[in-house]
C-alpha cells in the first residue's frame, strides 16, 4: 500500500462565475457551460513534506485495457451530476506536493487498500504536476506511447480548443479521478458501465471521451458531493494558473444543463404516448419545459443505509430488541375492483344520509382500529405506511362490510414525521387509492386539531378542509377535558369541510358506582344533549382507558338510546383489563350501532377488543356484523379474519423494539383504579424505562392516581392524560408525595405541561382548577380565560407557504403547509432528513430500523418501474476524520458512502453533579436534553424564575430558580444531554 507524504493546508476557496477569470471548467458528466469562474476568497498556504506518490483512483475489479499500444483507464461512474440542478455544490481537499517547486495539486483521498468482497480496492491519490513527481497513470501511459493520435481525432480536439477559447460550451465529458498534468499530455477515458439515474437508463460502453488542458497549467479534479459524501469518480476539472496558491478546500457553484428531464417529460406526455404528435407538438406543449431536477434518490438511500449500519437506528429504540427476520406474506387478493361498502352510501347521500343508513342498519357494525389506535396502543405508534399499504388491498376486498377504518389523526400525524420519517398526508393519499370502498376515520383533538397545543381557529378549519380533500371521511372530534367550546370548534371545522362529524364524549369514572359523584350518568347525558344540539351526525362514547364494565355499558348506552332514538351511537374502548369483549356485547344489547375492534394479533391488552371474538360472538344473532344481513350475505368471514390475523402476527414481529410486551406481559385490572388510557399505558411504561424508572413503574401508576387527584380528577385523554403522567413521573423522580407537592408547590420546577394546564392553555376542566395548587404554581404567570384559541390571531398561510418555499424550494404542497402549521419544528427536521436521506419510506421495515447485513442483497422499489437492486458489501475502518466508508453494489455497480461514526467519535464527558447540601446549585430534576437556556452568567434572577427547559420523551420540564441571586456559572448549553441531578448552574446569593 502506497502512502502520500504531504502537508494538508486548511483554508477555503469559493468560486463563482466570472467572465474574465483564468480558471476554466473543462467538463462533467453532463454538459456544463465552460464560462470562467473566479476565486472570490482565498486563504493561501504552503506545505512541506518528503516525497510524493500520486496516481489515479481506480475501483476494485477494474483494469487497464491495452489497445493499439495505448492504455486507457477504465472507469465506472459512481453517480451522476443532477441535471437541472442549480447551483450544485462541489468540494475537494487538495495537498501541496513538495518534491518540486512547481504548484502541484493532489486529490482528496489518501492511498489506502481495503478488502471488498474478496477483491482488492486500490484508492490512490490524484495529482496534477508539470514534473515527473506527480503523473497520473493514464497520463504516464499516454506519454510513454508517444501520445499518438490519428488525424480525425486531432481535428476534433482542435475544434474543442477553439470552442473553449471562444468561451463556448465544451464537450460533455465524463471525468474520473485521472488528471492531465500539462498540455502535452492527453487523457483518454473509455467509458465502461452505465450512468444510473435512480435505476434508470443505461449508456452503452465503448464510447471514448477525452479532455486536455488548454495550457501548461496544472489541472484540479473536483468530485461531486452528494449527501455529504464526495464521489470517487465524478466531478469537474479546473485548470489552475501556476501563480495560484494551492489550498485544501474548494467550493464551486456551477449550473448543469442536460436534455434528459425534457425527454422524460416528452415520454410521459399523453399526446406523445398515443402517437398523435405533429410538427407543432413542442409549441403546443410548453409544459415540456417544466423540468424537475433529478432527485438522486438512490445515492441518498445508500447514505441512509450506511448511516444505520454505522450508527444504528435513526428513530429512538425503547428496548434492546431486533426486528424479526421473517417478512409477512400478504394473503391472496382477487383481481378487479373491490365490492361496494358504506363509503358508497356516504358519497351518494352525504353525511346526513350516511348517518340515517347507519341507524337503519340491523346488525352490529365494526370499526377497525388496526391501522391507528391498535398500533398506537401496542407498538408506540410506530407502524409504517410500507406495511399498511401491503395489506390494504386485502382489506378493501374482504372487509367492505366495515363501518369505517381508523387510520389517521391523533399521534400518528406527528410520529410519522418525527420518528418514521414519512409524510402523514402521503399515507392518507396512498391508503385512499388502495381502499376506495371503506370510509376512513380520523381522531381530531377538537381545537387542538392533531397537536398538543392550541391553534388559531382558521388553522383548525383549514386542516379539516385539507384532510377531507385527501380522502378523510369521518372526523371523531373530542376534547381532553370535555370542554364544550373546544369541541364545538372542531365539530364546526369538520362539518364545514364536508365530513361526517362524530362527536365523542370522553368517559372516565364509573356510572354504575353510586359513590362516584363527579362524572355521573346525568353529567354524560347533559353533555350529549349539547353535542346533539350542535349538529353531530354520530354520537360516540370514547372510553380511552377501558373503564366501561358491562353493567356501566348497559346503563350509559341504554340511557343515550332512550334519549336519542334516531342518533347513531358508536362506542370506543380498550381491553386493558380483559373485559372489552364483554363490555361491547353489553353495548350491543343496549342498542349501540358501532363498536371498535382490532385484528386479533393487534387486539387485547391496551388495544381494542378482538375482531375475531366479536365476529364469532355475534354470528347467527341479530347483531351479525354484516352490511346487508341475509342468508346470501352472512357478514364478515371468520376465515378472512384469520388470514388478516396471520399477516399482522408476522408484521408485529418487525416492530419488536417497540412492542409493549417487552416491558409488560399482560393486561391489568388496576386500570379501574389508576384510569390510565390504553394509548398512554405503554408509552408511560416506555417513558419510565427511558428515565430510569422502569423498576418503579408500580410506583408511577400509584403516583398517577395521586397526580390526578392533585389536578382535580380530570378526564384523561391526550393531552390531559399526558399532563397527569408528566406530574406522576415528576413525583416519582423526585420522591414526592401528594402532600409534599401541595406544600412545596411554590418552589418546585413542575413539568411545562402542568404549568400550561393550570394557566388554562387547554381549556377549563369540569369543576374548575384545583386551588390553592394553581395559585402557588402560577404565582404571577398569566392565565387564559375562556377558550384558549379564541384570542389568537388568524394564521397567515400565504406567508407561511412563502417562507417554506424560500427554505425548501418550490416543491411545497398545501399538505406541507399544514404540517408546518401544526408542527413547525418537526416538519423542518423532517424536510432536512428527507433532503439528506431521500425517500426512506420505500425501504422495508427491517432495513429502515436495523439496516442490511453485510453481503445481503435486496430490492427497493422507488416507484412503479423503478427498482433498485442493492447489496451491502463491506464496512470500512474508522479514518482520522471519524468516518467509515460503507461499500454497496447498486444495480451491479460499486458505490461507497462516507459516514461519520458518531458513537466512535463521541468524547468522554463527565458532567458535575449538583450537591444537595449546597443551596445555590441547581440540578436536573430528570434525565433529558436541554431545549432552552433562559439565563446567562451574571444575570440577576428571582426565586421561581424559569432558568432552563428540559425535554425527555415529549415531556418538557421548566427548571425554576430555588432562590434569588446572581447566576455565577452556567454548566449547560442547548442540546446538552443530562442525567438526573446533573448540575445546570450555580446561583450566588
Amino acid at each position: 500500500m502506497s502512502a502520500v507524504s504531504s502537508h494538508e493546508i486548511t483554508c477555503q476557496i469559493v468560486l463563482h462565475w466570472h467572465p474574465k477569470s483564468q480558471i476554466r471548467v473543462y467538463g462533467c458528466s453532463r454538459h456544463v457551460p465552460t464560462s470562467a469562474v473566479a476565486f472570490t476568497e482565498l486563504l493561501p498556504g504552503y506545505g512541506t513534506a518528503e516525497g510524493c506518490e500520486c496516481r489515479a483512483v481506480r475501483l476494485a475489479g477494474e483494469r487497464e485495457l491495452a489497445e493499439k499500444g495505448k492504455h486507457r483507464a477504465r472507469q465506472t461512474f459512481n453517480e451522476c451530476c443532477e441535471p437541472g440542478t442549480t447551483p450544485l455544490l462541489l468540494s475537494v481537499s487538495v495537498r501541496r506536493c513538495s518534491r518540486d517547486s512547481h504548484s502541484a495539486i493532489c486529490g482528496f483521498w489518501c492511498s489506502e487498500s481495503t478488502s471488498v468482497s474478496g477483491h482488492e480496492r486500490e484508492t490512490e491519490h490524484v495529482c496534477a504536476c508539470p514534473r515527473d513527481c506527480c503523473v497520473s497513470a493514464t497520463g504516464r501511459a499516454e506519454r510513454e506511447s508517444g501520445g499518438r493520435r490519428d488525424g480525425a481525432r486531432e481535428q476534433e480536439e482542435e475544434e474543442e480548443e477553439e470552442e473553449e477559447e471562444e468561451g463556448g460550451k465544451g464537450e460533455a465529458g465524463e471525468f474520473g479521478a485521472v488528471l492531465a498534468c500539462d498540455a502535452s499530455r492527453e487523457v483518454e477515458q473509455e467509458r465502461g458501465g452505465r450512468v444510473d439515474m435512480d435505476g434508470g437508463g443505461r449508456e452503452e460502453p465503448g464510447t471514448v471521451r477525452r479532455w486536455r488542458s488548454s495550457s501548461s497549467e496544472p489541472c484540479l479534479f473536483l468530485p461531486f458531493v452528494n449527501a455529504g459524501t464526495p464521489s470517487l469518480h465524478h466531478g469537474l476539472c479546473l485548470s489552475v494558473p501556476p501563480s495560484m496558491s494551492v489550498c485544501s478546500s474548494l467550493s464551486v457553484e456551477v449550473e448543469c444543463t442536460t436534455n434528459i428531464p425534457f425527454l422524460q417529460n416528452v415520454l410521459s406526455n399523453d399526446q406523445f404516448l398515443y402517437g398523435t404528435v405533429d410538427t407543432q407538438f413542442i409549441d403546443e406543449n410548453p409544459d415540456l419545459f417544466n423540468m424537475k431536477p433529478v432527485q438522486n434518490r438512490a445515492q441518498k438511500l445508500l447514505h441512509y443505509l450506511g448511516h444505520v449500519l454505522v450508527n444504528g437506528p435513526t428513530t429512538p429504540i425503547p428496548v434492546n430488541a431486533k426486528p424479526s427476520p421473517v417478512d409477512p406474506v400478504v394473503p391472496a387478493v382477487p383481481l378487479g375492483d373491490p365490492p361496494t361498502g358504506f363509503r358508497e352510501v356516504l358519497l351518494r347521500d352525504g353525511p346526513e344520509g350516511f348517518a340515517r343508513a347507519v341507524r337503519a342498519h340491523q346488525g352490529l357494525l365494526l370499526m377497525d382500529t388496526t391501522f391507528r389506535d391498535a398500533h398506537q396502543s401496542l407498538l408506540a405508534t410506530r407502524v409504517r405506511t410500507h406495511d399498511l399499504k401491503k395489506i390494504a388491498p386485502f382489506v378493501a376486498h374482504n372487509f367492505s362490510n366495515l363501518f369505517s377504518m381508523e387510520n389517521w389523526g391523533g399521534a400518528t400525524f406527528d410520529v410519522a414525521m418525527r420518528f418514521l420519517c414519512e409524510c402523514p398526508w402521503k399515507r392518507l393519499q396512498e391508503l385512499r387509492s388502495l381502499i376506495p370502498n371503506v370510509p376512513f376515520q380520523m381522531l381530531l383533538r377538537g381545537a387542538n386539531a392533531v397537536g398538543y397545543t392550541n391553534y388559531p381557529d382558521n388553522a383548525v378549519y383549514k386542516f379539516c378542509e385539507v384532510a377531507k380533500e385527501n380522502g378523510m371521511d369521518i372526523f371523531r372530534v373530542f376534547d381532553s377535558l370535555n370542554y364544550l367550546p373546544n369541541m364545538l370548534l372542531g365539530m364546526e371545522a369538520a362539518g364545514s369541510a364536508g365530513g361526517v362529524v362524530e362527536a365523542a364524549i370522553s368517559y372516565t369514572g364509573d356510572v354504575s358506582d353510586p359513590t362516584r359523584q363527579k362524572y355521573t350518568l346525568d353529567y354524560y347525558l347533559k353533555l350529549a344533549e349539547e353535542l346533539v344540539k350542535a349538529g353531530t351526525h354520530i354520537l360516540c362514547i370514547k372510553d380511552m382507558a377501558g373503564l366501561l364494565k358491562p353493567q356501566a355499558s348497559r346503563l350509559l348506552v341504554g340511557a343515550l338510546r332512550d334519549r336519542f332514538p334516531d342518533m347513531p351511537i358508536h362506542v370506543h374502548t380498550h381491553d386493558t383489563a380483559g373485559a372489552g369483549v364483554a363490555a361491547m356485547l353489553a353495548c350491543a344489547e343496549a342498542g349501540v350501532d358501532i363498536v371498535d375492534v382490532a385484528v386479533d394479533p393487534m387486539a387485547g391488552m391496551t388495544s381494542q377488543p378482538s375482531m375475531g371474538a366479536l365476529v364469532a360472538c355475534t354470528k347467527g344473532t341479530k347483531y351479525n356484523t354484516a352490511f346487508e344481513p341475509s342468508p346470501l350475505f352472512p357478514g364478515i368471514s371468520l376465515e378472512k379474519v384469520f388470514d388478516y390475523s396471520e399477516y399482522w402476527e408476522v408484521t408485529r414481529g418487525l416492530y419488536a423494539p417497540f412492542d409493549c410486551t417487552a416491558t409488560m406481559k399482560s393486561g391489568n385490572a388496576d386500570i379501574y383504579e389508576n384510569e390510565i388510557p390504553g394509548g398512554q399505558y405503554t408509552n408511560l411504561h416506555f417513558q419510565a424505562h427511558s428515565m430510569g424508572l422502569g423498576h418503579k413503574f408500580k410506583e408511577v401508576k400509584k403516583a398517577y392516581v395521586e397526580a390526578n387527584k392533585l389536578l382535580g380528577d380530570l378526564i384523561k385523554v391526550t393531552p390531559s392524560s399526558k399532563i397527569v403522567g408528566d406530574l406522576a413521573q415528576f413525583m416519582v423522580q423526585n420522591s414526592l408525595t401528594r402532600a409534599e407537592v401541595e406544600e412545596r408547590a411554590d418552589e418546585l420546577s413542575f413539568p411545562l405541561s402542568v404549568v400550561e394546564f393550570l394557566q388554562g392553555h387547554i381549556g377549563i376542566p369540569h369543576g374548575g382548577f384545583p386551588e390553592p395548587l394553581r395559585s402557588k404554581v402560577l404565582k404571577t404567570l398569566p392565565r387564559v380565560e375562556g377558550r384558549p384559541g379564541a384570542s389568537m390571531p388568524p394564521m397567515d398561510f400565504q406567508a407561511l407557504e412563502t417562507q417554506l418555499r424560500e427554505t425548501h424550494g418550490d416543491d411545497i404542497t398545501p399538505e406541507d403547509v399544514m404540517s408546518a402549521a401544526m408542527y413547525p419544528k418537526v416538519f423542518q427536521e423532517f424536510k432536512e432528513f428527507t433532503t439528506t436521506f431521500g425517500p426512506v419510506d420505500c425501504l422495508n421495515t427491517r432495513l429502515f430500523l436495523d439496516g442490511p447485513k453485510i453481503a445481503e442483497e435486496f430490492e427497493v422499489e422507488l416507484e412503479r418501474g423503478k427498482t433498485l437492486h442493492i447489496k451491502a458489501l463491506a464496512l470500512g475502518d474508522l479514518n482520522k476524520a471519524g468516518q467509515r466508508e460503507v461499500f454497496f453494489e447498486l444495480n451491479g455497480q460499486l458505490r461507497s458512502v462516507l459516514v461519520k461514526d458518531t458513537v466512535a467519535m463521541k468524547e468522554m464527558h463527565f458532567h458535575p453533579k449538583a450537591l444537595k447540601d449546597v443551596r445555590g446549585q441547581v440540578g436536573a430534576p430528570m434525565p433529558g436534553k436541554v431545549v432552552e437556556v433562559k439565563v446567562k452568567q451574571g444575570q440577576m434572577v428571582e426565586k421561581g424564575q424559569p432558568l432552563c427547559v428540559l425535554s425527555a420523551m415529549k415531556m418538557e420540564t421548566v427548571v425554576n430558580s430555588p432562590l434569588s441571586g446572581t447566576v455565577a456559572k452556567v454548566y449547560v448549553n442547548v442540546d446538552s444531554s443530562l442525567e438526573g441531578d446533573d448540575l445546570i448552574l450555580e446561583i450566588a446569593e
Side-chain angles (χ1 to χ4, degrees):
M1 181 175 70
S2 60
V4 174
S5 177
S6 60
H7 179 72
E8 292 196 24
I9 305 160
T10 303
C11 66
Q12 226 177 22
I13 304 171
V14 180
L15 298 97
H16 295 281
W17 297 113
H18 194 283
K20 296 182 179 180
S21 171
Q22 298 180 19
I23 302 178
R24 306 180 63 83
V25 178
Y26 280 94
C28 71
S29 67
R30 299 297 172 203
H31 205 53
V32 174
T34 55
S35 305
V37 294
F39 288 107
T40 58
E41 180 183 354
L42 178 61
L43 300 176
Y46 297 93
T48 59
E50 294 295 332
C52 178
E53 298 179 11
C54 303
R55 294 186 296 275
V57 174
R58 290 180 292 168
L59 290 180
E62 296 178 344
R63 57 191 177 87
E64 292 182 350
L65 302 177
E67 179 182 344
K68 297 180 180 180
K70 293 186 178 182
H71 293 281
R72 292 173 179 157
R74 178 183 176 90
Q75 295 202 351
T76 301
F77 296 162
N78 246 359
E79 56 202 20
C80 290
C81 165
E82 296 189 22
T85 299
T86 176
L88 177 64
L89 180 65
L90 307 100
S91 68
V92 69
S93 290
V94 299
R95 303 169 186 232
R96 176 175 173 79
C97 301
S98 61
R99 177 174 293 186
D100 192 271
S101 60
H102 291 81
S103 296
I105 304 176
C106 296
F108 183 83
W109 295 273
C110 297
S111 297
E112 59 182 353
S113 180
T114 307
S115 178
V116 180
S117 297
H119 297 286
E120 185 71 14
R121 178 185 183 280
E122 184 183 359
T123 303
E124 301 174 321
H125 255 70
V126 181
C127 186
C129 180
R131 296 298 183 93
D132 292 341
C133 67
C134 300
V135 178
S136 69
T138 306
R140 182 165 49 247
E142 287 288 349
R143 186 177 61 182
E144 292 170 356
S145 67
R148 293 187 297 272
R149 298 176 294 177
D150 56 42
R153 285 173 56 184
E154 286 184 5
Q155 181 180 356
E156 196 174 67
E157 289 167 5
E158 289 174 0
E159 292 174 355
E160 290 172 5
E161 277 188 347
E162 292 174 1
E163 185 178 23
E164 289 174 354
E165 290 172 0
E166 293 172 359
K169 292 185 178 181
E171 181 182 359
E174 291 91 6
F175 295 99
V178 181
L179 301 183
C181 290
D182 56 48
S184 65
R185 191 171 302 127
E186 172 190 293
V187 174
E188 297 181 44
Q189 295 179 323
E190 178 174 349
R191 182 170 50 193
R194 62 181 176 182
V195 174
D196 190 293
M197 305 291 291
D198 280 348
R202 286 178 176 269
E203 292 188 8
E204 294 298 326
T207 304
V208 176
R209 299 293 187 190
R210 60 192 177 282
W211 61 268
R212 62 191 181 86
S213 60
S214 60
S215 69
S216 60
E217 300 162 354
C219 301
L220 170 64
F221 173 69
L222 281 73
F224 287 134
V225 174
N226 176 46
T229 304
S231 166
L232 291 177
H233 293 276
H234 207 65
L236 295 178
C237 183
L238 305 180
S239 76
V240 183
S243 59
M244 188 66 67
S245 298
V246 180
C247 301
S248 66
S249 180
L250 297 174
S251 295
V252 184
E253 291 183 356
V254 301
E255 179 178 346
C256 295
T257 58
T258 176
N259 64 347
I260 289 179
F262 171 78
L263 294 177
Q264 289 174 333
N265 288 344
V266 171
L267 293 174
S268 62
N269 182 276
D270 289 337
Q271 187 178 347
F272 178 83
L273 292 175
Y274 289 112
T276 58
V277 299
D278 53 26
T279 56
Q280 301 299 314
F281 172 65
I282 294 180
D283 294 334
E284 294 171 352
N285 292 273
D287 57 322
L288 295 175
F289 296 94
N290 297 329
M291 295 173 283
K292 294 183 179 180
V294 173
Q295 302 171 66
N296 204 15
R297 293 171 292 181
Q299 186 70 13
K300 291 179 179 180
L301 286 176
L302 290 186
H303 191 63
Y304 174 80
L305 293 170
H307 182 83
V308 176
L309 277 170
V310 173
N311 297 308
T314 57
T315 184
I317 302 294
V319 296
N320 186 21
K322 293 287 187 181
S324 168
V326 181
D327 292 325
V329 177
V330 180
V333 178
L335 298 175
D337 295 332
T340 59
F342 256 112
R343 190 163 191 261
E344 183 181 9
V345 177
L346 174 59
L347 296 178
R348 183 186 66 231
D349 301 335
E352 291 78 9
F354 175 77
R356 289 192 297 269
V358 171
R359 184 69 192 103
H361 178 75
Q362 297 302 309
L364 179 66
L365 291 170
L366 304 180
M367 182 180 86
D368 181 14
T369 67
T370 304
F371 281 40
R372 196 202 72 82
D373 201 29
H375 72 85
Q376 178 172 328
S377 301
L378 298 177
L379 304 176
T381 328
R382 293 303 200 274
V383 172
R384 302 170 65 239
T385 304
H386 179 87
D387 296 310
L388 299 177
K389 285 165 55 180
K390 290 203 295 188
I391 194 62
F394 177 83
V395 174
H397 280 270
N398 296 283
F399 294 92
S400 60
N401 304 327
L402 291 171
F403 162 77
S404 67
M405 293 180 64
E406 187 188 44
N407 59 5
W408 211 63
T412 60
F413 190 88
D414 69 291
V415 167
M417 294 186 290
R418 193 193 305 265
F419 297 128
L420 304 182
C421 310
E422 60 183 44
C423 176
W425 299 98
K426 185 179 178 183
R427 172 182 295 193
L428 179 57
Q429 295 160 358
E430 292 181 333
L431 291 179
R432 180 78 284 168
S433 66
L434 294 170
I435 310 177
N437 56 334
V438 180
F440 283 176
Q441 184 157 335
M442 73 163 288
L443 192 63
L444 188 76
R445 297 167 177 161
N448 302 131
V450 289
Y452 301 97
T453 185
N454 287 285
Y455 300 98
D457 292 356
N458 70 324
V460 181
Y461 277 83
K462 185 67 175 178
F463 180 88
C464 292
E465 177 186 328
V466 177
K468 183 66 173 64
E469 291 172 353
N470 280 273
M472 188 47 58
D473 299 306
I474 305 170
F475 295 77
R476 175 177 285 173
V477 183
F478 78 99
D479 180 74
S480 64
L481 300 175
N482 280 343
Y483 184 53
L484 193 60
N486 280 352
M487 291 190 67
L488 294 180
L489 176 70
M491 292 171 63
E492 292 169 3
S496 64
V500 176
V501 179
E502 182 178 295
I505 301 169
S506 295
Y507 177 82
T508 193
D510 184 359
V511 295
S512 64
D513 184 354
T515 64
R516 304 290 295 270
Q517 293 298 308
K518 185 169 185 178
Y519 301 104
T520 63
L521 182 62
D522 184 59
Y523 163 79
Y524 290 115
L525 289 175
K526 289 181 179 178
L527 180 59
E529 187 80 44
E530 295 296 328
L531 298 177
V532 172
K533 287 180 181 178
T536 186
H537 299 118
I538 299 171
L539 190 62
C540 175
I541 301 169
K542 182 174 170 57
D543 176 24
M544 51 279 168
L547 301 178
L548 271 174
K549 302 170 185 175
Q551 179 60 21
S553 300
R554 294 186 186 94
L555 285 173
L556 182 56
V557 174
L560 291 173
R561 174 53 65 223
D562 292 341
R563 182 74 63 91
F564 312 107
D566 298 326
M567 176 63 59
I569 300 176
H570 188 166
V571 175
H572 167 87
T573 192
H574 289 256
D575 200 24
T576 311
V581 173
M584 293 306 96
L585 291 174
C587 288
E589 293 172 357
V592 80
D593 299 283
I594 316 138
V595 297
D596 289 358
V597 295
V599 67
D600 299 3
M602 298 291 290
M605 295 180 66
T606 55
S607 180
Q608 280 67 56
S610 160
M611 175 187 288
L614 262 296
V615 170
C617 290
T618 59
K619 187 176 181 180
T621 71
K622 64 179 181 178
Y623 311 117
N624 188 28
T625 55
F627 177 50
E628 295 288 348
S630 71
L632 297 177
F633 194 61
I636 293 175
S637 166
L638 264 179
E639 184 178 345
K640 297 302 180 184
V641 174
F642 299 153
D643 292 339
Y644 191 26
S645 297
E646 186 176 357
Y647 172 84
W648 277 104
E649 184 173 2
V650 180
T651 300
R652 183 169 175 174
L654 297 174
Y655 297 92
F658 310 100
D659 201 314
C660 68
T661 56
T663 54
M664 55 184 292
K665 303 304 180 185
S666 68
N668 200 323
D670 66 1
I671 55 102
Y672 293 126
E673 177 183 345
N674 56 53
E675 300 179 350
I676 301 174
Q680 185 189 23
Y681 200 99
T682 50
N683 285 337
L684 195 63
H685 207 176
F686 283 138
Q687 281 182 349
H689 277 267
S690 70
M691 297 175 65
L693 302 177
H695 62 292
K696 294 184 176 181
F697 187 59
K698 185 176 180 180
E699 296 178 37
V700 172
K701 290 192 288 186
K702 289 183 177 179
Y704 193 96
V705 177
E706 296 302 308
N708 181 47
K709 293 176 181 177
L710 274 168
L711 298 174
D713 189 11
L714 302 179
I715 300 282
K716 290 169 288 298
V717 62
T718 306
S720 61
S721 58
K722 179 180 180 298
I723 294 166
V724 179
D726 289 352
L727 181 56
Q729 292 186 93
F730 173 79
M731 293 169 65
V732 175
Q733 181 75 32
N734 295 279
S735 302
L736 295 169
T737 64
R738 177 183 171 188
E740 289 173 332
V741 172
E742 290 176 326
E743 181 182 347
R744 299 173 52 194
D746 57 343
E747 64 182 58
L748 292 173
S749 299
F750 285 94
L752 183 62
S753 60
V754 175
V755 177
E756 291 183 342
F757 161 71
L758 294 174
Q759 286 181 279
H761 280 291
I762 68 169
I764 302 173
H766 176 57
F769 291 100
E771 289 291 357
L773 179 70
R774 188 191 193 199
S775 298
K776 284 186 175 182
V777 173
L778 296 185
K779 303 180 189 68
T780 59
L781 290 175
R783 308 182 185 201
V784 178
E785 303 297 336
R787 183 169 67 81
S791 58
M792 299 178 70
M795 184 174 290
D796 189 342
F797 290 106
Q798 187 63 44
L800 178 58
E801 181 176 355
T802 301
Q803 176 189 340
L804 292 175
R805 290 184 182 278
E806 291 174 354
T807 305
H808 304 293
D810 291 333
D811 194 21
I812 291 293
T813 65
E815 291 77 18
D816 290 333
V817 175
M818 286 313 309
S819 294
M822 297 290 108
Y823 290 94
K825 184 178 179 182
V826 174
F827 178 76
Q828 172 71 20
E829 293 171 348
F830 166 67
K831 291 296 288 184
E832 292 172 355
F833 181 96
T834 54
T835 299
T836 302
F837 293 122
V840 297
D841 56 334
C842 297
L843 300 172
N844 69 45
T845 297
R846 187 180 59 77
L847 290 173
F848 171 76
L849 293 176
D850 209 31
K853 296 179 174 63
I854 298 300
E856 178 182 358
E857 297 185 54
F858 52 94
E859 293 184 349
V860 177
E861 185 178 15
L862 296 177
E863 58 186 72
R864 186 176 181 182
K866 287 190 177 182
T867 301
L868 304 177
H869 302 269
I870 303 175
K871 181 178 181 180
L873 296 179
L875 187 63
D877 295 332
L878 191 70
N879 64 21
K880 292 181 179 179
Q883 298 172 316
R884 296 183 188 273
E885 192 167 11
V886 187
F887 301 93
F888 295 95
E889 186 180 279
L890 174 65
N891 294 339
Q893 303 298 314
L894 184 66
R895 293 205 185 182
S896 67
V897 293
L898 285 172
V899 178
K900 189 172 185 64
D901 192 328
T902 57
V903 177
M905 295 302 294
K906 189 175 182 180
E907 297 179 357
M908 295 295 294
H909 180 67
F910 299 96
H911 198 96
K913 295 288 185 181
L915 302 177
K916 295 187 178 180
D917 56 344
V918 179
R919 180 173 165 81
Q921 291 195 353
V922 180
M926 66 175 191
K929 179 177 287 189
V930 178
V931 295
E932 184 180 3
V933 179
K934 293 179 174 289
V935 296
K936 58 185 178 180
Q937 186 171 335
Q939 181 177 335
M940 296 290 296
V941 294
E942 299 294 330
K943 181 179 179 180
Q945 179 178 335
L947 302 175
C948 76
V949 181
L950 300 180
S951 176
M953 295 288 288
K954 294 186 181 181
M955 183 177 87
E956 291 191 351
T957 296
V958 178
V959 180
N960 296 324
S961 176
L963 70 165
S964 299
T966 304
V967 177
K969 187 175 181 180
V970 179
Y971 290 87
V972 298
N973 298 306
V974 174
D975 291 334
S976 295
S977 294
L978 303 178
E979 299 297 328
D981 297 324
D982 276 359
L983 183 60
I984 296 175
L985 52 78
E986 289 182 301
I987 300 174
E989 294 186 78

